[in-house]
Amino acid sequence: MGNTFGKRLQLHTWGESHGSRIGGILEGMPAGITLDLEKIQAFCDRRKPGQSELSTPRKESDILHISSGVFEGKTTGMPISFHFENTNTKSEDYDKFKNVFRPGHADQTYHQKYGNRDHRGGGRSSARETANWVAAGAIASHLLPEVKAVAFVEQIGAVKVDVDLKSVHKDLVEQSIVRCPDSAGTMKMVKSIESARLEGDSLGGVIGCVVRNVPASLGDPVFDKLHARLGFAMLAINAVKGFEYGAGFSAAAMKGSAHNDLFDEHGMLVENRSGGVIGGISNGHEIHFRVAFKPVASISKTQKMANAEGTGVSAQVKGRHDPCVVPRAVPIVEAMTYLVLADLWL
Amino acid sequence: MGNTFGKRLQLHTWGESHGSRIGGILEGMPAGITLDLEKIQAFCDRRKPGQSELSTPRKESDILHISSGVFEGKTTGMPISFHFENTNTKSEDYDKFKNVFRPGHADQTYHQKYGNRDHRGGGRSSARETANWVAAGAIASHLLPEVKAVAFVEQIGAVKVDVDLKSVHKDLVEQSIVRCPDSAGTMKMVKSIESARLEGDSLGGVIGCVVRNVPASLGDPVFDKLHARLGFAMLAINAVKGFEYGAGFSAAAMKGSAHNDLFDEHGMLVENRSGGVIGGISNGHEIHFRVAFKPVASISKTQKMANAEGTGVSAQVKGRHDPCVVPRAVPIVEAMTYLVLADLWL
Amino acid sequence: MGNTFGKRLQLHTWGESHGSRIGGILEGMPAGITLDLEKIQAFCDRRKPGQSELSTPRKESDILHISSGVFEGKTTGMPISFHFENTNTKSEDYDKFKNVFRPGHADQTYHQKYGNRDHRGGGRSSARETANWVAAGAIASHLLPEVKAVAFVEQIGAVKVDVDLKSVHKDLVEQSIVRCPDSAGTMKMVKSIESARLEGDSLGGVIGCVVRNVPASLGDPVFDKLHARLGFAMLAINAVKGFEYGAGFSAAAMKGSAHNDLFDEHGMLVENRSGGVIGGISNGHEIHFRVAFKPVASISKTQKMANAEGTGVSAQVKGRHDPCVVPRAVPIVEAMTYLVLADLWL
Amino acid sequence: MGNTFGKRLQLHTWGESHGSRIGGILEGMPAGITLDLEKIQAFCDRRKPGQSELSTPRKESDILHISSGVFEGKTTGMPISFHFENTNTKSEDYDKFKNVFRPGHADQTYHQKYGNRDHRGGGRSSARETANWVAAGAIASHLLPEVKAVAFVEQIGAVKVDVDLKSVHKDLVEQSIVRCPDSAGTMKMVKSIESARLEGDSLGGVIGCVVRNVPASLGDPVFDKLHARLGFAMLAINAVKGFEYGAGFSAAAMKGSAHNDLFDEHGMLVENRSGGVIGGISNGHEIHFRVAFKPVASISKTQKMANAEGTGVSAQVKGRHDPCVVPRAVPIVEAMTYLVLADLWL
């Protein structure tokens, strides 16, 4: 089903961007795991809108409510049901788009497919859905407490930085308002975002992720390769256009003798060009992958849109949007990583 | 399960590279579809080893045998069981690697995971498995006969060509021994491959794919986004390191106003930067994506390997391998595309 | 997953008997179906506790809350999330059973399996869970509005009645306080229940169900036979011990010539001994099946119980229980029937 | 999918009764289990046609061929593909039924559903499919070698015997040509079958099954109750009309105080009326269930049939059929039991 993620640890989600609430069920968590609810809430807070002056003015308190599956602070082995209230939905912002398809949005494809559309902000297509994913990933991370996924912004628009995979860590990332572990890069990125906002435009970017202390043997040799599952998870995040792991697209220009990870005299890998996954199975080394985000489609510039009757119209989208969502996507990338690894581990 | 692909059209596969046969079941094909068995065999032939002087000398006739689900030339709605005989397995080539883990191969991860390993050529990790995928994709393509997936090589090692997505077609691709629709590029690629073979080395590359006549409304707005399903399928192909669609990684540097696909006065898209998928759902325009392949791990140069006891050894891999598998992966990319689209269409 | 029912129409449920709420997600309902919310609530009311003087004094208002997937009275094609508040949970009734396993209950098996147990009334094992099933079945019934499942009580304890399958209808059933479409039988059943209550004992029974206007071609010829799916659904209902359809166990003593449903001169079936399903596929005739319920395990007589330390104890269970749940199970049987048929129809 | 059974241990089957072969894939068996291939073949032989003078004269050698997933006598953790050749298909017997629907068979429902039908003997509806189930169950039984499922015939037509569940064992069952562990009963059953054959008629029956050494904690408390999974499996067997476990239908007439299994002073169960499953979870005691079979539909008496044009015809079915399939269904019941238990155990 299109609203379920995972096989042994399954996340089922529901809720529309402008309905009363959104939520999900996380099914498959074993019994007896102590959940750190503060840590889970803090994970959710990293994604929520309005957390800095750079992001959308839509504010949601995004308090996570858990209704089942946890008893006296521990998982019971039963489904964990959770939800967030939607407190700050200004549906009237969207009324004028009731019959207009915005460029770059799912408006037209959604309308074609379902014959109806909740014009109040994208329905299930809205990135608000990812609040559920972060909550579930935060819970799932308790299953493999030693595993640490550290995602970070390495590009926003034209600004790119080199990140040292060995030294990057979460504190360094969180110090930066754009979640870039490079202070000079951060300043340039902030400037780019401010300037895009002034123009009524938006910016894309690239998020890198390194995952440490991954157990060996996760993933399958045929279809359910670990990197294929990770790629599927990342490509499901709104606005993602590409995924690569290890040497990625640059591997295409390498020779086998340069790409193969050799062993040293103790049978240990000398390098980790493969990105921690060989033949679809984790080898116990760090996993490394990169995710490309397009600039968000919602911009306040006047654009040429279309309506259901097949007529072009010029219009402006007024809602409250981020000029750049990439920094807020960092916890989403981490959460989806935890969901994939926990699922394969079970 | 890790050996099943798809949801409503399911492919279950089995078989080891050096066992007696490999095969699969395609479940979910509706009743009453006439299968063009010659066309299906021809599709399989495009993948088979030994089809040109550039590829592995391992020859397999790769005749497809169908044992069920087809009666008097038509599908019956029942599972279609098929297999290929493994006729040319020189297992002795591999005997010396019984206890050695080859660099870049799944040997070590497989051994760790299952505590056993069919050292005779990779077991289920072998790309021989993809013969099953091509057979299934060729059958699945009969479900949506108007859809045409045209994959092509656009990079091998350092040689890159620009391919015009509007004009590229299958005949142009198949004329080229490396399946590159550019004759000057083909010559350079052939030279690169010859030179890698002489060095005992291998080359990676990039395959592009354009899919025409895709019905609108394929894919779901949440997890099962069409591009996420395509990405999962492509990342499952052996040696793949990256996937992008539409503007892909280059979208990260674009502004929203430049990336958004605007509508014209008739409500039609002016461009197709989104790659035919918006919000996870096909919009009826051409789908475009790119897949990065690493250079194959099997090279005949002496390399530093390891054995199960944790000792490094220098050794050569003698089997019969392609210096560059990318041209043979073209039909695999197409087959997986058909499987994904047929599954979502059902 | 053990908390998911169905394949194309999937019900995922959550919630413990004595938690704050219980609920579920119904995924797979097509877009554009108008839901009759009053009818759905009325369906739920038929199951709720405390509806007559014969049943448990635990009262729940059981108001159904729907949070997603319905917009302006119609399904949107997105997951329908719903829940019920648990308003009347007297957990203190159960405190003394914190370490005691009640006979006939899941206490011991649950404890063994999960290493924990919500002693406040059965956790997920409680029949309160079936409120979710009724809600989902009531919604699912809108998918096939012409199909009518009429379940009825035909046995309670030693009292059995013969029900004419051709004439039984819902009004007749609902007129009876025990949902038995036979007024003489109803009186005897009521007496039996009263007498069991006075003794502090409980009674089982049999529910029959006839389903009219079933489309032909539901069900598959191999594993997912329609009657196997119905049997699975019914056996999942708390306290069910047996399922049979058509001639059922009595078919074992018949000869083929007596059991086979012959055709008349117009190629129509003369009788319907097969119960509306042949070879696992509906034939368009009425489906008929029967479901056996054990007497509920909760009785107020003193019984020999055990505790986690492996010691026998004599004790009384005081909670608020029905002496006979069979009348309240009638809507559950109908709801599960709708879920199965709607799932197979999709 | 309708051709897949199980969740963590999945059986995918294929093949038509009168095609060249039938087979399946068993996916999910862990690596490293030694398979006793002789024992597996012997299990299959107990089901095969023509094993005694009482059954169909259609003879199949039913040699099991395994093509993957087993290396040097052990499972590899990869899918196990197997098949049987169909050597003795007299399709001409069926030619006259090309356009005729036989009473009690799936002919008409199959034709309605798929718009085509392999008239050569039932296609996927044929009980020949159960050869695959027995092979898979025999393999699965190696996963839980201590578990022993003993099925036996307790009724054929009007002849019923009482079987002592404590003492019945496999040798006693296999000594009887009808697999009834009661020698007087066996003689009566044989007579009944001979007499039905002479009349050109057929007989149904009941199979009981007791399963010993079942680990506790198999099954889930909500939908995937152990007995619901067993019921689903048994109801999928051709000709089955009913399933009950523990006290079954007779529980309906019992009082709670009589049905509840009490504990003794050591916290152990005194009796096992629940049939080894409480709240859907195995309690470690013997599982006991009963399965009702209708008389097979194929009889040689002249019967009133119908054709696709909606006309009644009187005709005789000549094929080679068993007057009573119940004895041959005994290993099928055991095999399905092993598949269910192994699946839940994983």
Side-chain angles (χ1 to χ4, degrees), chain D:
Chain D
M1 289 279 170
N3 299 285
T4 290
F5 183 84
K7 296 192 168 185
R8 300 199 164 194
L9 181 68
Q10 289 197 323
L11 172 62
H12 314 292
T13 64
W14 54 269
E16 287 82 28
S17 166
H18 285 65
S20 62
R21 46 176 66 167
I22 59 166
I25 306 175
L26 188 65
E27 191 180 352
M29 283 292 283
I33 296 176
T34 302
L35 295 186
D36 181 339
L37 294 174
E38 278 184 39
K39 192 181 135 195
I40 292 169
Q41 183 64 55
F43 208 141
C44 296
D45 290 345
R46 291 170 65 212
R47 193 216 71 96
K48 79 177 175 188
Q51 59 186 285
S52 87
E53 65 269 30
L54 285 176
S55 81
T56 168
R58 172 174 175 171
K59 285 207 194 307
E60 292 284 355
S61 51
D62 274 4
I63 304 297
L64 179 69
H65 298 272
I66 293 181
S67 303
S68 71
V70 181
F71 185 53
E72 298 175 349
K74 286 190 180 174
T75 59
T76 62
M78 297 296 116
I80 299 173
S81 177
F82 61 84
H83 71 272
F84 297 97
E85 303 287 338
N86 284 337
T87 55
N88 194 339
T89 54
K90 284 210 187 169
S91 301
E92 60 272 29
D93 280 359
Y94 296 92
D95 270 359
K96 63 184 285 200
F97 295 104
K98 197 164 177 172
N99 292 307
V100 176
F101 305 141
R102 295 165 296 166
H105 273 279
D107 298 353
Q108 188 184 36
T109 50
Y110 209 87
H111 177 88
Q112 269 181 318
K113 180 164 183 137
Y114 298 102
N116 70 58
R117 176 167 65 94
D118 183 345
H119 60 276
R120 302 166 306 162
R124 293 284 289 156
S125 297
S126 166
R128 176 127 187 83
E129 157 75 8
T130 57
N132 293 327
W133 306 5
V134 172
I139 296 171
S141 73
H142 288 71
L143 190 62
L144 292 167
E146 72 287 1
V147 175
K148 300 290 172 205
V150 179
F152 47 85
V153 171
E154 58 182 60
Q155 179 180 348
I156 281 182
V159 185
K160 284 187 203 187
V161 299
D162 274 327
V163 174
D164 177 34
L165 297 181
K166 296 235 163 94
S167 66
V168 64
H169 60 91
K170 197 182 155 186
D171 293 347
L172 211 55
V173 175
E174 292 302 312
Q175 279 165 20
S176 161
I177 191 173
V178 292
R179 295 204 168 92
C180 171
D182 177 291
S183 51
T186 293
M187 278 190 294
K188 288 186 206 159
M189 289 173 182
V190 169
K191 265 193 200 154
S192 293
I193 294 174
E194 291 294 359
S195 138
R197 183 211 302 284
L198 290 176
E199 294 168 30
D201 216 325
S202 66
L203 294 176
V206 174
I207 290 179
C209 185
V210 59
V211 199
R212 301 192 175 116
N213 305 324
V214 180
S217 300
L218 298 186
D220 277 334
V222 186
F223 296 115
D224 281 345
K225 293 183 163 83
L226 171 51
H227 59 264
R229 293 290 298 274
L230 282 172
F232 176 70
M234 298 307 145
L235 288 160
I237 299 174
N238 303 50
V240 169
K241 301 296 290 187
F243 170 85
E244 60 179 11
Y245 78 104
F249 275 85
S250 73
M254 295 167 78
K255 290 196 174 169
S257 55
H259 184 273
N260 279 352
D261 287 323
L262 303 183
F263 295 90
D264 68 13
E265 66 269 31
H266 308 297
M268 307 297 286
L269 286 192
V270 180
E271 291 201 70
N272 182 22
R273 290 182 204 103
S274 70
V277 186
I278 300 200
I281 301 171
S282 63
N283 62 5
H285 291 260
E286 287 185 6
I287 292 178
H288 173 229
F289 61 85
R290 299 172 76 245
V291 188
F293 290 77
K294 70 171 186 181
V296 285
S298 292
I299 58 178
S300 48
K301 282 192 168 170
T302 298
Q303 295 177 97
K304 283 185 185 146
M305 311 192 178
N307 60 25
E309 288 75 41
T311 313
V313 290
S314 278
Q316 255 184 306
V317 182
K318 278 234 177 94
R320 297 154 300 162
H321 306 285
D322 285 322
C324 181
V325 296
V326 182
R328 283 176 57 207
V330 163
I332 308 175
V333 166
E334 292 173 0
M336 294 311 278
T337 302
Y338 287 125
L339 280 176
V340 169
L341 296 179
D343 184 23
L344 292 173
W345 192 78
L346 288 172

Side-chain angles (χ1 to χ4, degrees), chain B residues 99-253:
Chain B
N99 292 307
V100 176
F101 304 140
R102 295 165 295 165
H105 274 279
D107 297 353
Q108 188 185 36
T109 50
Y110 209 89
H111 177 88
Q112 269 181 317
K113 179 163 186 140
Y114 298 101
N116 71 56
R117 178 166 64 92
D118 183 345
H119 60 278
R120 302 166 307 162
R124 293 283 291 157
S125 297
S126 165
R128 175 128 188 83
E129 157 76 6
T130 56
N132 292 327
W133 306 6
V134 172
I139 296 171
S141 73
H142 288 71
L143 190 61
L144 292 167
E146 72 288 1
V147 175
K148 300 290 171 203
V150 179
F152 48 84
V153 171
E154 58 181 63
Q155 179 180 346
I156 282 182
V159 185
K160 283 187 205 187
V161 299
D162 274 327
V163 174
D164 177 34
L165 297 181
K166 298 234 161 98
S167 65
V168 65
H169 60 93
K170 198 183 155 186
D171 293 347
L172 210 57
V173 175
E174 290 304 310
Q175 279 165 20
S176 160
I177 192 172
V178 291
R179 294 201 171 94
C180 171
D182 177 292
S183 52
T186 293
M187 278 190 294
K188 287 187 205 159
M189 288 173 182
V190 169
K191 265 192 200 155
S192 291
I193 295 174
E194 291 295 359
S195 138
R197 183 209 303 283
L198 290 175
E199 293 168 30
D201 216 326
S202 66
L203 295 176
V206 173
I207 289 179
C209 185
V210 59
V211 199
R212 300 189 177 120
N213 305 324
V214 180
S217 301
L218 298 185
D220 278 333
V222 186
F223 296 116
D224 280 345
K225 293 184 165 82
L226 171 50
H227 59 264
R229 293 289 297 274
L230 282 171
F232 176 71
M234 299 305 145
L235 288 159
I237 300 173
N238 302 51
V240 169
K241 301 296 289 187
F243 169 86
E244 59 179 12
Y245 78 106
F249 275 85
S250 73

Side-chain angles (χ1 to χ4, degrees), chain C residues 61-100:
Chain C
S61 53
D62 274 4
I63 304 296
L64 178 69
H65 299 272
I66 293 181
S67 302
S68 70
V70 182
F71 186 53
E72 300 175 347
K74 287 189 179 174
T75 59
T76 63
M78 297 295 116
I80 298 172
S81 177
F82 62 84
H83 71 272
F84 297 97
E85 303 287 336
N86 285 336
T87 54
N88 195 338
T89 53
K90 284 210 186 171
S91 301
E92 60 273 28
D93 279 359
Y94 296 92
D95 270 359
K96 62 184 286 198
F97 295 104
K98 196 163 176 172
N99 292 306
V100 176

Side-chain angles (χ1 to χ4, degrees), chain C residues 127-140:
Chain C
R128 175 127 187 84
E129 157 76 7
T130 57
N132 293 327
W133 306 6
V134 172
I139 296 170

